[in-house]
Each structure stands twice: as structure tokens, then as C-alpha cells.
Amino acid sequence: VPLLLGEKYRPATVPLQIMAFIPGLLMLTQIHSTYYMLACGYDKEWMRIILTSVAINFCVLAPTLMFLRGSVALAVTALIVEGSASFLYWRFYHSRSSEPDVLAETV
């Protein structure tokens, strides 16, 4: 960060290091949520996971703000929320993909 943006942006280094894992989690989330759940008609289940992620966001953000600097707390919260959402989408996908002919029923 200091090399590209200068010394005044040095405090952004730690939040960016924490958030470096989020693009990989977003990739998994996109594959399991949009390309599977929405394409196969699991709209209600998709919305339930979204609402669960929102609830996790508020539950995690309050405690992290008490113990960490604001930008670091937001980065940690984003990582936890995206990780939990990715896990929930993956779990839904694997619970449905083990059923026989799951894709044949939707086509």
C-alpha cells in the first residue's frame, strides 16, 4: 500500500491483508448461489441464506467494533460473513447435489 498510494495510506495495509481472502470466498459464493441456487429455482432458500448473512453481520460487527479499530473490525466482519455465507451455500449445494436427478427435475 505505501508503495502504490504513499505513506499516508499505511493504516489501510492491515484491513487489506485481512480482506485479501474475500475474492476467493466470493467466487465460491457466486458459483453455489447464483449459478446453482437461482438457476435451479431455489429462490426462497437463497433469500434465507442472505437474511442469515445479514443477521451474522450485525451479530459479529458489534463485538468486533468494541475490541478492534473500525476499519479492521469491518474487514474481520466482512471476512467472517462471507466465509459463513460461502459455507451455507456450499452446504445447501452438497445436500441437494447428492439427491438423484436433481438437475433433471429442473430442466
Side-chain angles (χ1 to χ4, degrees):
V1 172
L3 290 174
L4 295 174
L5 301 174
E7 281 299 317
K8 72 177 192 176
Y9 290 99
R10 184 174 288 283
T13 304
V14 173
L16 284 175
Q17 288 173 339
I18 295 169
M19 293 188 318
F21 299 100
I22 291 179
L25 292 172
L26 285 172
M27 176 191 62
L28 294 174
T29 300
Q30 189 74 12
I31 290 169
H32 291 111
S33 67
T34 305
Y35 298 144
Y36 174 71
M37 290 182 77
L38 292 179
C40 293
Y42 294 114
D43 297 349
K44 290 180 183 178
E45 293 86 351
W46 179 81
M47 182 57 73
R48 191 172 300 126
I49 293 174
I50 292 288
L51 293 174
T52 302
S53 297
V54 170
I56 292 170
N57 184 36
F58 287 116
C59 291
V60 170
L61 184 58
T64 55
L65 280 172
M66 288 190 286
F67 298 109
L68 300 171
R69 189 179 81 224
S71 59
V72 176
L74 290 172
V76 168
T77 300
L79 184 63
I80 290 170
V81 169
E82 202 56 50
S84 61
S86 294
F87 173 73
L88 291 171
Y89 287 124
W90 173 83
R91 190 178 70 177
F92 180 86
Y93 171 77
H94 281 285
S95 70
R96 296 298 190 273
S97 65
S98 62
E99 296 174 4
D101 296 324
V102 69
L103 294 176
E105 294 173 9
T106 59
V107 176

